[in-house]
Amino acid sequence: MVNVFKRLTKSLRLISLKKSEDFFLKQINDEKIPVHVAIIMDGNGRWAKARRLPRIAGHRAGTKVVHQIVEVAAELDVKYLTLYAFSVENWQRPKSEVSALMGLFDKMLAKEIKELHESNVKFIAIGRLNELSQRLQKTIEKAMRLTEKNTGLILNIAINYSGRVEIIDCVKQIAKKVDRKELEPDKINEETIINNLYVPGAPDPELLIRTGGERRVSNFLLWQIAYSEFWITPVLWPDFKKINFLKAIYEFQLRERRFGGLQ
């Protein structure tokens, strides 16, 4: 009897969820979909702790959400989706957790890349990739090479990433060009910076989503989010669903975007 009740409750919840998704899909304006959405995927550890599970269980649950959000982003015709997977600061976590995280990322990418390729998704990893293990570097290189000519959603995964480090690496690239006499210092402008970031020429995110309720940017895309709209939800990343992503897009479309001028 208890199992029957549980199945009924689950069915009713799924029906309610589907109705909510359909509502937002009808409300969303196809002509105002943000070109670039960035997400700080926060809350895996807290999700696991609340269930008395090891932290890696939260990370595993989070990888399943990535799959779902990539699908809905492609469905909505978002052009760029940038996900914050592992920061430079995250190396300070316990070695066992970091090791498990890297293994999980390697395993997930190897498993998912074929489907991403078949879905015409272009995969790009951003960050100081040369500091990752040789095995993970090879998996990333293989995935990027396989999907490099795809023309659908561009999926940027930030791993061993830092917004400040990206700017430092960008400055180094520009300095080398100046040293080689390929660029005059007086000619350096915003376009120069944009073209020397990890994804040269990519548009800035119009929408930045942060899960887990924290209200900080955590050293993520510091140059690019100058005028991004922030959407913060208390929902922990493993509990983040299609409905949450749709709601973020819907509420983004209701905002009046301003860029410092009088309006």
Side-chain angles (χ1 to χ4, degrees), residues 224-243:
Q224 298 92 327
I225 61 173
Y227 285 101
S228 299
E229 296 290 331
F230 285 25
W231 192 82
I232 298 171
T233 175
V235 176
L236 303 177
W237 179 248
D239 290 327
F240 193 80
K241 295 179 171 52
K242 178 178 180 179
I243 182 64

Side-chain angles (χ1 to χ4, degrees), residues 84-145:
Y84 203 4
F86 189 89
S87 72
V88 168
E89 293 77 16
N90 287 156
W91 290 108
Q92 299 172 30
R93 293 182 178 183
K95 289 184 178 180
S96 57
E97 181 182 353
V98 171
S99 178
L101 258 174
M102 292 300 167
L104 181 61
F105 185 79
D106 183 78
K107 184 178 179 180
M108 182 195 75
L109 184 55
K111 178 182 176 182
E112 298 285 343
I113 195 59
K114 182 179 179 181
E115 185 173 343
L116 288 174
H117 180 50
E118 291 173 350
S119 298
N120 198 30
V121 173
K122 182 175 182 179
F123 172 83
I124 299 175
I126 62 173
R128 285 190 169 173
L129 307 181
N130 62 306
E131 296 176 356
L132 301 174
S133 70
Q134 288 296 317
R135 174 172 176 166
L136 184 51
Q137 285 186 54
K138 288 180 181 179
T139 302
I140 288 172
E141 289 169 7
K142 182 179 180 181
M144 291 176 64
R145 189 165 55 250

Side-chain angles (χ1 to χ4, degrees), residues 138-255:
K138 288 180 181 179
T139 302
I140 288 172
E141 289 169 7
K142 182 179 180 181
M144 291 176 64
R145 189 165 55 250
L146 176 66
T147 64
E148 63 183 346
K149 294 183 180 179
N150 289 349
T151 57
L153 172 71
I154 296 175
L155 174 62
N156 302 314
I157 299 291
I159 181 168
N160 194 26
Y161 176 88
S162 154
R164 288 181 174 180
V165 167
E166 179 175 20
I167 292 171
I168 290 170
D169 289 346
C170 172
V171 171
K172 287 180 178 178
Q173 286 287 101
I174 294 170
K176 289 176 182 178
K177 292 179 181 180
V178 171
D179 189 54
R180 294 194 297 263
K181 309 297 183 184
E182 297 173 3
L183 178 66
E184 295 179 17
D186 290 345
K187 298 294 184 180
I188 296 172
N189 53 27
E190 285 194 16
E191 186 177 357
T192 310
I193 301 295
I194 292 168
N195 289 330
N196 285 278
L197 294 171
Y198 288 150
V199 185
D204 293 339
E206 290 120 306
L207 175 62
L208 173 65
I209 297 171
R210 177 159 193 153
T211 64
E214 301 292 349
R215 298 176 180 272
R216 57 179 180 268
V217 298
S218 296
N219 201 4
F220 185 45
L221 302 178
L222 297 181
W223 173 275
Q224 298 92 327
I225 61 173
Y227 285 101
S228 299
E229 296 290 331
F230 285 25
W231 192 82
I232 298 171
T233 175
V235 176
L236 303 177
W237 179 248
D239 290 327
F240 193 80
K241 295 179 171 52
K242 178 178 180 179
I243 182 64
N244 303 110
F245 189 81
L246 294 175
K247 185 178 180 182
I249 300 294
Y250 171 70
E251 292 188 4
F252 163 81
Q253 293 185 346
L254 294 179
R255 298 184 186 182

